[in-house]
Amino acid sequence: MASKPSIPKGTRDFSPAEVAKRQYIIQIIKSNFEKFGFQPIETPSFENSETLMGKYGEEGDRLIFKILNSGDYLAKANASHLENKESTKLTSTISEKALRYDLTVPFARYVVQHQNDIEFPFKRYQIQPVWRADRPQKGRFREFFQCDADVVGSKSLWQEVELVQLYDMVFTELGLKGTTIKINNRKILSGIAEVIGASDKLIDFTVALDKLDKIGEDGVKKEMLEKGISEEAINKVQPLFNFTGTISEKIEKLALLLASSQEGTKGVEELRFICENIMNLGLSSAILDLDVTLARGLNYYTGAIFEVAPPKEVAMGSIGGGGRYDDLTGIFGLKNMSGVGISFGLDRIYLVVEELNLFPETVTATTKALFINYGDSEAFYAMKAIKKLRLAGIKAELYPDNTKVAKQFQHADKRKIPFAVIIGQDEIASNSFALKNLATGEQLSLDFEGLKKALL
């Protein structure tokens, strides 16, 4: 007996209704990307391993899906590593490609590879799936879509101001009022590490600090101690664990705290410019919040960093994030190419919109009218009308089989099709159509123009 088919953990099938809802979100994101001048590109699902490895930190590297070489992939494997089961040393000889972990590093590769054909500053958007060998849980999948917008070739902080406005416009259009756009700056984190004498532990410090909302203050302190950050240094950052006040007040507190750090002071000034301009321009429904514990553990951010939290009534992780990276293309040989970008987490956004019941009913609208099949001559008459209705933008279809009428009406009911069109010899003779409202049972005899008007 054949085993029951299944799919890998952390992946999903999508029904027609789910696909329609996902496309609704994608279309809103895409239309706003284009309003802001971003252009679409696409990159391959998999990259050379050397393109991806070492770009996301130790934690990220572990989550990259490796692809086995085709053919006899063990032929070139190191016999000693194979015999001793040293899988980490073996990987590079049996796997030269990997599924992309995100869209940012492939984008950096794209920019370097096509730099002679690109007009800078280059604003691109990309909506494609990515893969991570993560532990599946609510809102976290192994295969999911990212929707990214990035600008490379400009150091102007007006780009950051625009990206916050872009977040606000998308979430406002989706009806997600009260999303919180958290902002920080890696220069501030570097400055804090410098002030407390832990500059050599910057990555460990920021990765631990980034987990404050997940593992709490005690958990963060414990991790910092385990990473070799002294208790004295941790005590100096105590104010960060309860950093309150308005954005302006927080900026002034940071200015005092980081007065002795040139890097930290620069970060404060960048934050001041971005936040003041956003507040003066105003946001439609999102809330801007300066969060000094926001670190985002990725190695490549060098300036502003963003993370978006859903409305408070939904228990969900971040639904977007991004930041400024001054040297990302440098890893591929193109120096002094500053960039900044943000990402929308489509799958989590879907769950939030669903939970808040914000999808319009029209999103999953199916065929408007099903033409009942009474035979070939009636079907041909129906198909001529269906062709003209489709040209008018109306979703219509013919039931393909000349079977029991009751079965055809059941089909319309199960698919939630609101109207049935009945065509017999009488209708053909009078060049008319019988339109039946399947919710009320009301039936009208109409000419084609009347039918079209009723279905629009």
Side-chain angles (χ1 to χ4, degrees):
M1 184 178 171
S3 60
K4 187 179 177 182
S6 63
I7 57 174
K9 287 182 180 177
T11 64
R12 296 149 297 159
D13 289 322
F14 298 107
S15 68
E18 289 169 329
V19 170
K21 290 175 179 178
R22 285 165 67 83
Q23 288 177 342
Y24 165 75
I25 296 171
I26 288 171
Q27 189 51 46
I28 286 176
I29 294 171
K30 181 182 172 184
S31 66
N32 280 287
F33 280 166
E34 292 176 356
K35 281 178 196 171
F36 280 71
F38 292 91
Q39 302 174 82
I41 68 162
E42 290 187 359
T43 59
S45 299
F46 54 92
E47 297 271 353
N48 292 324
S49 297
E50 61 191 28
T51 299
L52 304 178
M53 297 300 288
K55 311 303 189 300
Y56 306 101
E58 191 181 327
E59 223 171 314
D61 279 357
R62 284 202 310 271
L63 301 181
I64 292 174
F65 273 111
K66 285 81 176 176
I67 300 172
L68 287 174
N69 293 339
S70 54
D72 186 1
Y73 58 86
L74 289 178
K76 296 179 181 178
N78 183 292
S80 172
H81 296 161
L82 194 58
E83 189 178 342
N84 295 325
K85 298 181 179 179
E86 295 175 296
S87 58
T88 53
K89 293 179 180 177
L90 199 61
T91 303
S92 61
T93 58
I94 65 173
S95 172
E96 295 168 358
K97 293 176 281 294
L99 291 176
R100 60 171 173 244
Y101 175 91
D102 73 350
L103 299 177
T104 307
V105 170
F107 171 54
R109 190 266 311 149
Y110 175 94
V111 170
V112 175
Q113 198 169 335
H114 301 277
Q115 58 186 287
N116 295 328
D117 305 315
I118 291 172
E119 170 61 27
F120 294 103
F122 180 45
K123 300 174 80 170
R124 87 80 168 88
Y125 76 83
Q126 203 169 341
I127 301 174
Q128 288 186 277
V130 299
W131 294 267
R132 295 183 186 180
D134 216 339
R135 185 171 65 84
Q137 53 186 282
K138 185 185 177 184
R140 181 172 290 177
F141 307 101
R142 287 176 172 170
E143 178 185 64
F144 57 97
F145 266 73
Q146 279 190 341
C147 310
D148 283 13
D150 289 77
V151 189
V152 289
S154 170
K155 293 184 178 180
S156 169
L157 296 176
W158 285 111
Q159 304 291 358
E160 279 85 339
V161 173
E162 279 224 307
L163 289 173
V164 172
Q165 289 183 308
L166 175 55
Y167 266 143
D168 180 48
M169 283 188 75
V170 168
F171 292 125
T172 299
E173 195 169 334
L174 286 169
L176 291 178
K177 295 178 181 176
T179 56
T180 301
I181 303 169
K182 300 176 184 177
I183 186 171
N184 197 13
N185 194 299
R186 285 298 290 246
K187 293 183 179 74
I188 283 172
L189 294 165
S190 297
I192 292 167
E194 182 188 335
V195 166
I196 67 172
S199 291
D200 59 328
K201 300 281 185 182
L202 174 62
I203 297 299
D204 292 331
F205 170 76
T206 54
V207 168
L209 192 62
D210 198 27
K211 296 176 182 175
L212 183 63
D213 60 338
K214 294 172 190 164
I215 61 177
E217 183 179 333
D218 292 338
V220 170
K221 288 178 177 177
K222 184 176 177 235
E223 186 169 322
M224 286 182 175
L225 285 168
E226 287 169 356
K227 293 291 185 180
I229 298 170
S230 71
E231 200 162 332
E232 182 188 352
I234 294 170
N235 287 337
K236 287 181 182 175
V237 297
Q238 182 62 41
L240 298 182
F241 295 117
N242 297 288
F243 207 67
T244 57
T246 65
I247 289 177
S248 298
E249 288 167 349
K250 288 177 180 178
I251 287 172
E252 294 314 315
K253 287 178 185 177
L254 284 172
L256 288 172
L257 180 66
L258 300 172
S260 62
S261 167
Q262 189 177 347
E263 180 85 345
T265 299
K266 190 177 179 186
V268 170
E269 290 311 308
E270 288 181 7
L271 262 188
R272 194 193 305 274
F273 179 91
I274 297 165
C275 292
E276 284 183 357
N277 279 295
I278 290 166
M279 288 187 288
N280 288 334
L281 286 165
L283 295 173
S284 297
S285 68
I287 301 156
L288 186 68
D289 180 38
L290 197 170
D291 183 354
V292 288
T293 68
L294 176 61
R296 295 188 66 81
L298 301 177
N299 287 344
Y300 49 70
Y301 292 127
T302 55
I305 43 180
F306 305 103
E307 194 162 278
V308 184
K312 288 184 171 61
E313 56 266 38
V314 182
M316 181 71 69
S318 65
I319 55 175
R324 166 73 64 173
Y325 41 87
D326 279 338
D327 54 5
L328 186 63
T329 56
I331 56 180
F332 298 119
L334 182 61
K335 303 291 183 185
N336 302 316
M337 184 63 71
S338 185
V340 60
I342 57 172
S343 181
F344 290 81
L346 171 66
D347 298 281
R348 287 187 178 181
I349 292 170
Y350 179 104
L351 292 172
V352 173
V353 175
E354 183 91 305
E355 192 168 326
L356 294 175
N357 198 26
L358 293 172
F359 282 112
E361 285 184 23
T362 52
V363 167
T364 54
T366 181
T367 293
K368 195 74 177 282
L370 179 71
F371 283 66
I372 304 302
N373 191 331
Y374 284 93
D376 286 345
S377 61
E378 292 90 346
F380 183 74
Y381 180 88
M383 286 298 284
K384 288 194 292 183
I386 289 169
K387 183 178 179 181
K388 289 192 282 186
L389 289 173
R390 288 171 176 165
L391 287 170
I394 297 166
K395 298 175 184 176
E397 61 181 282
L398 171 73
Y399 191 86
D401 302 306
N402 178 12
T403 186
K404 290 180 180 178
V405 172
K407 183 179 178 182
Q408 297 185 49
F409 276 105
Q410 284 173 2
H411 179 76
D413 185 53
K414 286 177 180 176
R415 288 192 46 207
K416 295 182 170 58
I417 296 173
F419 294 97
V421 181
I422 301 160
I423 298 164
Q425 289 303 316
D426 289 346
E427 279 75 25
I428 294 174
S430 61
N431 200 23
S432 65
F433 304 85
L435 179 68
K436 185 170 185 176
N437 184 317
L438 297 179
T440 66
E442 181 187 7
Q443 188 167 312
L444 300 170
S445 181
L446 304 164
D447 62 11
F448 178 76
E449 286 304 317
L451 177 69
K452 185 170 79 171
K453 189 175 179 183
L455 294 176
L456 276 171

